[in-house]
Amino acid sequence: MDAMEYTIGDNIRAFRKERRLTQKQLSERLGVSSSLVSNWEKGINKPAADILADLCAVLEVSPSELLDVTLTEDEFSSQEREVIRAYRSKPELQHAVNVLLGVEEE
C-alpha cells in the first residue's frame, strides 16, 4: 500500500469523527456500503474519483484537506489566484462554474 492510501483513510476517519458521524451514517449519505467506508479508512482501497466531491461535501472539507495536499501560492499564476478568489467570493455562481468545468453535473 502506498502512503496516499493511509493518508486519505486516516483523513476520512478523522473528519468523519469530527462531524460525529458513524461509518454507517457516512455510507448512507454517500449511497455506498458501510464496509466500503471501513475499507477506505483501513487503507484497503481508496474512494473512486467520482465520489470524492460527495465525500468532501458530506465531510464539509475541501479536496485538498481530504487528500492532504498543500499548494503554495507560487504554484499558481497571479491570474489563477485571482480566479480562485473570485470563485470563492461568489458561492451563488460556483455550481454553474463547476458544471461548465465538468466537475459537477446539472
Side-chain angles (χ1 to χ4, degrees), residues 61-101:
V61 296
S62 69
S64 58
E65 288 176 294
L66 183 64
L67 300 172
D68 201 19
V69 175
T70 304
L71 301 174
T72 60
E73 281 201 23
D74 62 335
E75 293 181 56
F76 296 107
S77 70
S78 60
Q79 182 179 12
E80 289 169 327
R81 285 193 299 276
E82 187 57 36
V83 167
I84 291 167
R85 276 193 284 280
Y87 176 87
R88 289 179 176 168
S89 72
K90 306 224 183 268
E92 69 278 7
L93 298 177
Q94 290 174 1
H95 176 71
V97 171
N98 292 345
V99 169
L100 285 171
L101 295 174

